[in-house]
Amino acid sequence: MAGKARSEASSSSRSNTNSNNRGQSKVHDCGRNRTPCGYCKSPGLTSISHGLWAHSLTVNDYQDLLDRGWRRSGSFLYKPEMERTCCPSYTIRLKADNYIPSKEQLRVTRRIQRFLDGTMDCKKPLKVEENQNAAKGACCNADQEVSSSAVKKNSSYNNEEKNGEEKIIKYLSEEINGAVSLCTKSGEFPHDIQLPKASVKKVSHAKRKLLVDVSEHLVYSSNIAFQIAASIKRTQPGMKDVHQSTVSGNLADENVLSPKVIAEKLTNSLKHLAETSGLSVRACNGHLNFYSGTIQTSLDGSAEIVATSEGSAARHASKVFSSKNSSEHPPVKRRRLEIYLKRSSFDPEEFALYRRYQIKVHNDTPDHVTESSYKRFLVDSPLIFVPPTSDGTVPPFGFGSFHQQYVIDGQLVAVGVVDILPRCLSSKYLFWDPDFAFLSLGKYSAIQEINWVKENQIHCPSLQYYYLGYYIHSCNKMRYKAAYRPSELLCPLRYQWVPFDVARPFLDRRPYVVLSDCTSTQGGEPSLPSVTEHAMELQHDDIRQEDTSDVFFYEDEEDIEPESESSDDESGTESSSPTSHQMESGDVGNILIGLKGSCVKYK
């Protein structure tokens, strides 16, 4: 009894703290809901979940609910009854710092970059292949199928891209050769030997991540300094030990032409490239590296990505070569991509894009796509906005519900609906312009959202995860979410995070699995988290209870693919399974539940 009193006192104290800082949560219990399933298309009401209507919800409480397998559609919260529903849905997430892009995801990034650079152009809008069996609610990360004409166009785009890259590489090689010639004439390099010609290579995206910071992109690189040093070494015996002394850590004399010294000299002769081509050049351990691209923040605080990349070099290279044959090499048309993050609110331009997307991509009838349904689904949010702070607990944009706009040359082409919470960015939905289907904006937006989490960890260290919503192994069209690796699934019974690769063999055998049991088979003693009897009783009570007098039917789940969930522990450390004390104190202990006209606290 004394323990219970202390627990209630702790919950009350915590409630007051949250109330003062981030408001108070108030929800109404809607009971059990049975709806048609948008995934397996079963004829009956086979999708079974429990629902809550949220009048207000703090970001901390919502993360606690997400970490118990809940999610939201507008202001409606729901959690599948995993043992009863036809398609068990597991919350899926990945830690942004651990994200390893697949080859396909890297291809999408390169395709977008080529489009912005102008090395891939779109003569006509590409049509999305009509498929009545496709999911009506494709997630922001959903794989989009394009028509066969798009495949044919892509082959021509690849040729255009290859020609554009060859122009840039040839241009940079000629500039380096010119710099070598200047250094030779000025006496900095020996003039009595034949020096090699420069070779420039494009840097892969995998190496870009390792070699540069988030503010610039490493695009091209040349090892000409090593080739020149080797040529000098072969003709001048005094150079034999330069390489060994450099490797051993002894600094060579400044007058000795080591690769580092040669690279520095060439860099000084190539400074003009920043103005003429938009590429900055720097010497790095003997390599000549060419960088481009910046990430900025607009004055109103919205995130803005300015896509300058190597396209400026392509533009300049195009001018150089057009003097030889302007009819064969027209000027490159570069595009500007801007990404703005704004708080969730109704925007007529966004609604017009959403309406067009639903009708063209998902074959919705015009009378079904209304302003009221759009607001209810993607604009209304019970989350209480938390403004930014400077103490490292809230990112620059604050916590709450947001719309992320993707704008190319002033045209709105996509909108991502996300929730930013203390420990994650939770992706909810994405809709895009059907004319830009060939860019795979769903995949691209997911990559951008993952990168957003990485970049904002500087301002809010607790922000670490990217949540992709529900993973449904029994539904093939929902398996794409596991392509964002390494991901983990939430155990529906003990709320323990389990690596997807561990859970997958068990999910192959049956739809519903107590995922935490999978870890006990991974060599050795079973290691199951502690679960209090009270917590188990609550879960089984939820399964038994059914309120048939107040059933709330929410937006069809097939219209909710791109969302995500998140978890938050106010201690700032990850906790995959709550301790007995945490359960009694109540991760959701501050939530008010409407019950027969009155409000009571959840215990």
Side-chain angles (χ1 to χ4, degrees):
M1 189 68 180
K4 183 176 180 180
R6 283 194 300 270
S7 182
E8 290 178 349
S10 173
S11 178
S12 175
S13 172
R14 179 177 166 187
S15 177
N16 291 336
T17 301
N18 275 359
S19 179
N20 292 334
N21 295 336
R22 298 185 177 179
Q24 192 172 49
S25 299
K26 182 180 178 181
V27 300
H28 175 78
D29 186 13
C30 298
R32 175 177 288 170
N33 304 294
R34 295 178 180 270
T35 64
C37 181
Y39 299 111
C40 64
K41 307 293 183 182
S42 59
L45 303 179
T46 58
S47 179
I48 306 173
S49 64
H50 197 93
L52 297 173
W53 181 265
H55 300 278
S56 63
L57 198 60
T58 67
V59 291
N60 295 78
D61 287 338
Y62 185 43
Q63 287 211 229
D64 290 335
L65 288 172
L66 288 173
D67 223 21
R68 299 297 183 273
W70 294 76
R71 66 181 261 198
R72 75 175 184 91
S73 172
S75 294
F76 183 67
L77 308 174
Y78 62 100
K79 176 182 179 180
E81 293 190 3
M82 299 287 279
E83 292 180 286
R84 292 172 173 262
T85 192
C86 56
C87 296
S89 308
Y90 301 85
T91 301
I92 183 171
R93 75 175 186 181
L94 67 84
K95 194 169 186 178
D97 282 342
N98 297 338
Y99 169 59
I100 303 174
S102 66
K103 291 182 179 179
E104 171 59 23
Q105 291 156 10
L106 290 174
R107 278 196 292 268
V108 169
T109 302
R110 290 195 293 267
R111 188 183 309 136
I112 293 280
Q113 194 59 63
R114 296 199 307 269
F115 180 72
L116 297 176
D117 293 343
T119 54
M120 180 188 82
D121 202 358
C122 182
K123 306 288 185 182
K124 297 179 181 179
L126 299 179
K127 296 181 180 179
V128 177
E129 182 177 327
E130 296 183 2
N131 186 349
Q132 297 292 341
N133 296 324
K136 272 183 125 182
C139 166
C140 65
N141 309 323
D143 293 335
Q144 301 297 340
E145 297 182 6
V146 295
S147 62
S148 58
S149 63
V151 176
K152 295 178 182 178
K153 284 180 178 286
N154 279 339
S155 61
S156 64
Y157 295 156
N158 290 336
N159 293 332
E160 292 178 16
E161 177 226 355
K162 185 176 179 180
N163 293 335
E165 289 181 358
E166 289 176 352
K167 291 179 187 177
I168 300 171
I169 290 173
K170 185 175 181 181
Y171 168 69
L172 293 177
S173 299
E174 291 179 351
E175 289 293 314
I176 295 174
N177 291 333
V180 172
S181 178
L182 287 176
C183 290
T184 302
K185 291 178 181 178
S186 64
E188 296 180 85
F189 295 168
H191 57 80
D192 54 347
I193 62 173
Q194 182 68 35
L195 296 179
K197 296 296 183 181
S199 173
V200 177
K201 293 183 179 181
K202 187 171 183 179
V203 180
S204 67
H205 282 262
K207 290 185 179 179
R208 291 185 196 185
K209 286 181 60 180
L210 298 174
L211 297 177
V212 298
D213 55 34
V214 297
S215 62
E216 287 188 309
H217 299 288
L218 174 58
V219 188
Y220 298 99
S221 183
S222 174
N223 64 351
I224 182 63
F226 290 91
Q227 298 176 36
I228 293 176
S231 297
I232 297 174
K233 179 181 176 181
R234 285 193 295 269
T235 58
Q236 298 183 6
M239 290 293 294
K240 287 183 179 179
D241 299 326
V242 169
H243 180 69
Q244 287 83 345
S245 64
T246 302
V247 173
S248 64
N250 299 323
L251 295 176
D253 186 272
E254 291 185 358
N255 293 326
V256 176
L257 293 178
S258 66
K260 289 185 178 180
V261 174
I262 294 173
E264 291 289 349
K265 291 180 180 295
L266 293 176
T267 298
N268 292 333
S269 300
L270 294 170
K271 295 293 186 183
H272 64 280
L273 287 177
E275 296 181 359
T276 59
S277 69
L279 291 173
S280 62
V281 57
R282 293 205 297 269
C284 182
N285 295 325
H287 293 271
L288 287 180
N289 290 340
F290 299 89
Y291 301 85
S292 185
T294 58
I295 298 177
Q296 302 176 348
T297 302
S298 60
L299 294 178
D300 62 358
S302 299
E304 177 180 344
I305 297 180
V306 183
T308 57
S309 90
E310 67 263 38
S312 49
R315 182 176 68 253
H316 184 76
S318 177
K319 291 180 180 178
V320 174
F321 287 99
S322 63
S323 62
K324 299 180 181 178
N325 193 336
S326 59
S327 60
E328 292 183 8
H329 302 285
V332 175
K333 179 184 177 182
R334 294 181 59 254
R335 299 174 178 84
R336 179 184 177 89
L337 169 65
E338 298 165 298
I339 303 178
Y340 298 100
L341 191 65
K342 58 186 284 287
R343 289 179 60 184
S344 180
S345 62
F346 179 77
D347 184 326
E349 186 180 12
E350 288 184 1
F351 172 67
L353 179 62
Y354 170 79
R355 181 178 174 84
R356 188 160 172 257
Y357 168 79
Q358 293 296 132
I359 293 174
K360 281 200 155 190
V361 177
H362 297 307
N363 301 314
D364 284 358
T365 58
D367 58 341
H368 178 70
V369 188
T370 63
E371 280 192 17
S372 59
S373 65
Y374 167 70
K375 290 178 181 178
R376 197 165 56 245
F377 178 33
L378 296 178
V379 177
D380 294 345
S381 172
L383 296 186
I384 301 171
F385 176 71
V386 178
T389 63
S390 58
D391 60 359
T393 60
V394 182
F397 305 101
F399 293 135
S401 299
F402 297 85
H403 285 194
Q404 193 160 12
Q405 297 180 332
Y406 295 77
V407 180
I408 297 180
D409 288 346
Q411 178 183 353
L412 182 67
V413 298
V415 176
V417 181
V418 300
D419 292 326
I420 298 176
L421 304 170
R423 291 181 65 84
C424 80
L425 182 146
S426 171
S427 179
K428 177 170 169 48
Y429 200 77
L430 181 109
F431 50 94
W432 38 264
D433 190 330
D435 289 344
F436 290 83
F438 63 95
L439 291 179
S440 301
L441 291 170
K443 294 176 183 176
Y444 182 74
S445 68
I447 296 170
Q448 290 301 311
E449 288 166 1
I450 294 171
N451 290 337
W452 187 95
V453 174
K454 292 181 181 180
E455 294 163 10
N456 280 272
Q457 287 178 5
I458 300 174
H459 309 289
C460 182
S462 66
L463 191 63
Q464 298 184 24
Y465 291 94
Y466 177 63
Y467 280 66
L468 297 92
Y470 284 146
Y471 173 81
I472 305 176
H473 195 71
S474 58
C475 179
N476 287 331
K477 67 174 178 281
M478 293 296 288
R479 291 191 178 188
Y480 70 90
K481 295 186 180 184
Y484 297 86
R485 301 172 60 87
S487 58
E488 49 190 1
L489 304 179
L490 182 67
C491 174
L493 181 63
R494 299 181 179 91
Y495 307 120
Q496 175 183 358
W497 292 102
V498 177
F500 173 78
D501 290 337
V502 173
R504 181 173 183 172
F506 296 87
L507 292 172
D508 286 338
R509 291 199 287 267
R510 59 180 185 272
Y512 174 71
V513 178
V514 178
L515 297 179
S516 55
D517 288 343
C518 302
T519 60
S520 65
T521 66
Q522 299 300 305
E525 296 292 327
S527 177
L528 300 180
S530 60
V531 182
T532 65
E533 293 183 3
H534 178 61
M536 296 293 290
E537 289 173 0
L538 283 177
Q539 176 166 348
H540 290 297
D541 284 346
D542 286 342
I543 294 176
R544 289 193 298 266
Q545 291 173 355
E546 180 170 7
D547 184 356
T548 57
S549 63
D550 188 10
V551 178
F552 184 91
F553 290 91
Y554 49 92
E555 297 281 348
D556 193 332
E557 246 185 54
E558 59 185 0
D559 287 334
I560 315 175
E561 256 176 73
E563 80 258 333
S564 306
E565 331 271 346
S566 121
S567 75
D568 176 48
D569 184 336
E570 288 192 351
S571 66
T573 59
E574 182 182 358
S575 175
S576 60
S577 59
T579 63
S580 177
H581 173 72
Q582 287 173 326
M583 291 299 296
E584 290 177 1
S585 295
D587 288 325
V588 290
N590 300 310
I591 297 181
L592 298 181
I593 300 179
L595 184 64
K596 297 182 179 179
S598 62
C599 296
V600 296
K601 282 192 177 181
Y602 178 88
K603 291 184 180 178

